[in-house]
Amino acid sequence: MLATLSFILAMLASTAFTLKLVKLLREAREQKQRLKKIICRQRAKRKLVEEDLRIAAIAFEAQEGMVITDEHRNILRVNHAFTLITGYHREEALGKQTSLLKSGLHGAGYYEDMGRQLDTNAYWQGEIWNRRKNGEVYPEWLTITAVKNPSGKVINYVATMLDITQRKAAEAKLEHLAYHDPLTGLANRRLLIDRLQHSLLAKSRSNLYGAILFLDLDNFKTINDSSGHGKGDMLLQVAAKRLAHSIRKGDTLARHGGDEFVLLLEELSDNIRETAIETQMIATKILADLAAAYDLDHAEFHSSASIGITLFDKQSTSAEELLKQVEVAMYEAKSSGGNTFRFFDKDMLDIVNTRAALEADMRLGLQQEQFVLYYQPQVSSTGQVTGAEALVRWQHPQKGLVPPCNFIPLAEESGLIISLGAWILKTACATLAAWQKTAGKQHMTLAVNVSARQFRQCDFVAQVLGNIAHYNINASKLKLELTESLLIDNIEETIDKMNQLKAKGVGFSLDDFGTGYSSLSYLKRLPLDQLKIDQSFVRDIVSNNNDAVITRTIIALGQSLGLAVIAEGVETAAQRDFLQQQGCLSYQGYLYGKPSADLI
Ligand code: C2E
Ligand code: CA
Ligand code: CA
């Protein structure tokens, strides 16, 4: 019994033991699995860290130079790119201060400002000039980041640096291109205006005068057209070099365009007279320099320039205004024969401005049909009206009736005479058509003034014939008045055009005869019908023997060439009688009637 009991007890005890053992074993297994997991996780973590380190190492050896310093800017690490940029090897840089790279080009304030920004933002980025080990100063794009510990104290600085020498050079090249003329290397118009504006701003604080010289080569177009653009370019280059010799440091020499150069001389003198004299001396020297012979590819060329000059001071207006002034002066120099200079004069600008306004006004006048034709009778020795001369007037809405001498010269210069002349011709033909339908007027001729530019138009003949056909008029009643200067210019073309019109019956009168350079040889070749004695000879014909002789000669010349002769500006019976005695049998002048809008 006892044995059974002890057995049972033993059994119970061993069961409890076994249970305990099983539990222990299970716990041990779980612990092991936990450990395994931890080890696995740690391995993974270490792998990540290793990967990070590997990436960091690659990044550190990237193209950009990198420097890591301690909080006192002592260099702790540099990469290979740092050595390539700065020339310092790792061993030479480690332990040194970053001031090792200072170029000396930035003042203390620059670095203080950088330090302040790093303190507040933990970051600085910008362009900086540093110095390489070989002493060369170079531009660098620098980024600095401050690294802080968890308590916010800076423990390191990490800097990346990019050498921007090449980028800077490219930028400078682009900038140079934008502001310079590629052919001559001189400043271009843009830079000139920049400098001029700058100079005007600076002038507001100075009492010194400056001067602008505007140069235009006189015969450049001829050389360029006849010898080719290559030679033209060479001439410009040599001229630019000669000009560059004439200037002081600080002056601006620019190619304004084509064969135009502008010289900006600043701060000459506080006395306008002295400034003018000094500028005049410079201009004289430039003219002499430019007039010397040019050896272009072993061929000798000659050139000269026209120079416009304007002086400016602190009261001067805008850059554009000054350039306009100096250009006006240059044209003045050019129109007085070239190879000379002219100072700008305010009255001249007023003239130019008035002309510009008049031209615009004329365009409008043409659009709005403000022009009218007046007619002045032409009379025979028996007092019969044989016809009339058409004379244009401008019926201006504000200015009233404007005489042709106030607008014809400008119309010729601006080319407006082409459309104005076309209108005159058309209107005159319409008048002739009306006369030819009116009893007692069918015999009348109408003289129409034709200006050189109008006559030179390649479709001039077609225009005249077109009007004749359109208005169905008798062409022999239309008489075109041409001047001597028009006829001499390109005489073959003139004769050809005149013959084409002559063949259809159109007549020709030589206007203002005696004032030009008529020569008998060409007078004989021209298919003219009439000579018109200029009114300047008629005016004093009775009192001035010279005029009397000239008039007599013209009449005799007309007779010998088989041409009719008409005198214009006949105001008195005495003039008419004298003319008649000499054999001139046609007259036009106030004695018979002033030009009027009424159709005769
Ligand atoms: P022109 O062709 O020599 O015209 C004659 C000018 O003398 C006209 O001046 C006329 O009014 C003026 N005249 C006529 N008789 C007398 C006189 O007895 N005494 C004085 N003192 N003057 C007299 P106008 O009409 O002022 O024309 C001036 C110039 O304008 C013309 O000179 C001509 O060159 C130009 N012109 C006029 N009409 C036209 C036109 O339709 N076309 C072109 N191209 N030019 C024109
Ligand atoms: Ca005339
Ligand atoms: Ca005349």
Side-chain angles (χ1 to χ4, degrees):
M1 180 61 197
L2 199 66
T4 312
L5 195 66
S6 63
F7 176 73
I8 288 169
L9 281 172
M11 281 299 288
L12 280 173
S14 89
T15 309
F17 174 76
T18 310
L19 280 174
K20 205 170 177 183
L21 199 68
V22 168
K23 194 178 167 212
L24 278 173
L25 278 173
R26 198 189 309 131
E27 278 176 3
R29 206 167 39 240
E30 281 171 4
Q31 178 77 5
K32 195 177 163 193
Q33 272 169 354
R34 263 201 306 277
L35 274 172
K36 227 178 175 173
K37 265 189 196 156
I38 288 169
I39 289 167
C40 268
R41 241 182 272 139
Q42 274 179 344
R43 268 203 195 129
K45 230 182 191 170
R46 193 169 62 229
K47 222 172 162 191
L48 272 177
V49 170
E50 276 170 3
E51 188 69 5
D52 278 353
L53 282 173
R54 208 171 60 84
I55 291 169
I58 292 171
F60 194 68
E61 288 305 334
Q63 297 303 309
E64 293 183 14
M66 277 191 166
V67 185
I68 299 173
T69 72
D70 64 13
E71 73 269 40
H72 305 298
R73 295 169 200 208
N74 293 310
I75 300 175
L76 301 176
R77 281 193 72 172
V78 297
N79 67 355
H80 183 58
F82 170 90
T83 303
L84 290 179
I85 295 172
T86 65
Y88 289 107
H89 286 285
R90 218 171 82 83
E91 311 75 56
E92 294 171 308
L94 295 194
K96 303 267 168 48
Q97 287 253 299
T98 49
S99 57
L100 174 74
L101 302 172
K102 268 192 184 175
S103 64
L105 290 188
H106 304 286
Y110 183 88
Y111 296 100
E112 280 163 18
D113 191 51
M114 181 193 286
R116 259 194 304 279
Q117 281 197 43
L118 281 169
D119 286 347
T120 43
N121 308 329
Y123 183 79
W124 184 90
Q125 190 169 53
E127 222 176 273
I128 188 169
W129 288 94
N130 271 345
R131 188 182 296 276
R132 302 189 218 274
K133 187 181 164 188
N134 64 9
E136 187 191 341
V137 171
Y138 67 99
E140 182 182 282
W141 184 251
L142 181 64
T143 307
I144 307 175
T145 311
V147 182
K148 295 179 178 173
N149 67 11
S151 59
K153 184 180 170 297
V154 173
I155 47 169
N156 293 103
Y157 290 103
V158 178
T160 60
M161 50 173 69
L162 210 60
D163 185 344
I164 53 172
T165 311
Q166 274 168 13
R167 196 178 84 196
K168 282 285 239 200
E171 276 171 13
K173 200 168 166 193
L174 273 179
E175 166 128 344
H176 190 269
L177 276 178
Y179 286 99
H180 290 81
D181 164 47
L183 181 71
T184 59
L186 298 180
N188 61 13
R189 190 183 141 81
R190 196 167 150 199
L191 181 55
L192 169 75
I193 292 188
D194 255 26
R195 294 258 175 93
L196 190 51
Q197 274 163 348
H198 189 259
S199 173
L200 287 176
L201 271 179
K203 275 266 160 309
S204 59
R205 297 183 299 273
S206 137
N207 281 326
L208 296 173
Y209 283 91
I212 306 172
L213 283 78
F214 192 108
L215 292 93
D216 185 289
L217 299 185
D218 290 329
N219 55 349
F220 179 73
K221 203 179 159 340
T222 320
I223 294 180
N224 211 30
D225 290 351
S226 60
S227 306
H229 290 237
K231 287 274 187 328
D233 283 356
M234 281 163 85
L235 178 76
L236 289 173
Q237 286 170 325
V238 179
K241 270 205 194 101
R242 291 184 186 178
L243 286 170
H245 274 299
S246 320
I247 64 170
R248 305 166 307 174
K249 203 166 164 272
D251 292 339
T252 300
L253 173 61
R255 180 165 174 220
H256 190 255
D259 58 345
E260 297 166 348
F261 297 91
V262 172
L263 184 53
L264 170 64
L265 308 172
E266 297 180 66
E267 315 212 312
L268 287 171
S269 158
D270 59 356
N271 176 305
I272 188 158
R273 237 183 79 81
E274 276 174 18
T275 309
I277 292 169
E278 196 178 337
T279 312
Q280 179 171 346
M281 273 159 38
I282 295 171
T284 310
K285 184 177 178 304
I286 288 176
L287 284 177
D289 287 350
L290 292 180
Y294 292 77
D295 176 9
L296 309 178
D297 238 2
H298 310 301
E300 192 175 298
F301 287 87
H302 292 269
S303 183
S304 62
S306 298
I307 306 180
I309 304 172
T310 195
L311 306 181
F312 62 101
D313 66 357
K314 60 180 171 192
Q315 265 117 45
S316 292
T317 37
S318 66
E320 274 79 11
E321 188 63 32
L322 286 171
L323 283 174
K324 194 168 151 194
Q325 291 180 359
V326 80
E327 199 170 341
V328 166
M330 184 279 289
Y331 280 117
E332 195 61 20
K334 186 138 287 207
S335 62
S336 53
N339 195 22
T340 187
F341 59 82
R342 285 285 179 276
F343 278 87
F344 166 72
D345 160 17
K346 166 101 178 46
D347 296 344
M348 231 152 62
L349 185 67
D350 288 347
I351 293 169
V352 170
N353 284 341
T354 314
R355 286 170 78 91
L358 181 64
E359 194 185 316
D361 210 14
M362 253 182 94
R363 274 181 212 284
L364 190 72
L366 264 170
Q367 269 173 27
Q368 301 186 346
E369 303 199 355
Q370 293 169 1
F371 293 88
V372 282
L373 277 192
Y374 272 35
Y375 301 91
Q376 186 178 33
Q378 295 183 333
V379 178
S380 72
S381 56
T382 57
Q384 200 206 3
V385 174
T386 54
E389 177 180 3
L391 293 157
V392 68
R393 303 284 181 267
W394 183 1
Q395 188 64 62
H396 194 280
Q398 282 89 40
K399 297 181 199 158
L401 197 65
V402 183
C405 57
N406 288 4
F407 61 86
I408 291 282
L410 177 65
E412 281 174 349
E413 266 176 47
S414 63
L416 279 172
I417 194 72
I418 308 292
S419 30
L420 179 60
W423 176 85
I424 291 169
L425 199 63
K426 184 179 109 193
T427 311
C429 289
T431 299
L432 260 182
W435 286 352
Q436 287 173 8
K437 287 190 195 101
T438 313
K441 288 191 178 174
Q442 276 108 344
H443 69 286
M444 298 226 297
T445 57
L446 186 56
V448 178
N449 293 285
V450 175
S451 83
R453 205 153 167 182
Q454 194 185 354
F455 187 82
R456 295 271 162 256
Q457 287 289 102
C458 51
D459 66 344
F460 180 71
V461 171
Q463 209 189 97
V464 177
L465 297 180
N467 276 306
I468 290 171
H470 179 79
Y471 290 102
N472 194 20
I473 52 176
N474 177 356
S476 68
K477 302 298 173 204
L478 181 65
K479 193 160 62 180
L480 300 181
E481 289 199 7
L482 309 177
T483 56
E484 292 169 85
S485 54
L486 178 156
L487 295 173
I488 328 177
D489 246 27
N490 207 346
I491 185 141
E492 299 307 329
E493 184 206 320
T494 306
I495 292 176
D496 182 46
K497 280 188 173 171
M498 285 173 81
N499 278 333
Q500 287 183 48
L501 289 167
K502 183 101 195 166
K504 303 285 176 188
V506 178
F508 292 97
S509 180
L510 185 46
D511 204 358
D512 305 339
F513 191 66
T515 59
Y517 310 94
S518 317
S519 90
L520 261 180
S521 61
Y522 83 76
L523 261 186
K524 275 199 319 212
R525 296 181 57 203
L526 293 167
L528 288 167
D529 299 278
Q530 188 181 56
L531 296 181
K532 199 168 189 185
I533 306 173
D534 189 62
Q535 52 181 291
S536 61
F537 304 117
V538 175
R539 196 174 301 127
D540 301 321
I541 201 171
V542 185
S543 55
N544 184 319
N545 193 41
N546 266 349
D547 290 347
V549 171
I550 292 173
T551 310
R552 215 175 286 144
T553 315
I554 294 174
I555 295 167
L557 181 71
Q559 283 167 348
S560 72
L561 288 171
L563 301 175
V565 178
I566 184 169
E568 70 179 349
V570 180
E571 294 184 353
T572 65
Q575 291 167 336
R576 192 257 334 265
D577 293 346
F578 182 93
L579 288 158
Q580 196 174 359
Q581 275 164 26
Q582 303 306 320
C584 171
L585 306 177
S586 296
Y587 321 101
Q588 180 185 339
Y590 294 171
L591 178 65
Y592 300 100
K594 291 195 169 183
S596 116
D598 301 330
L599 291 190
I600 296 155

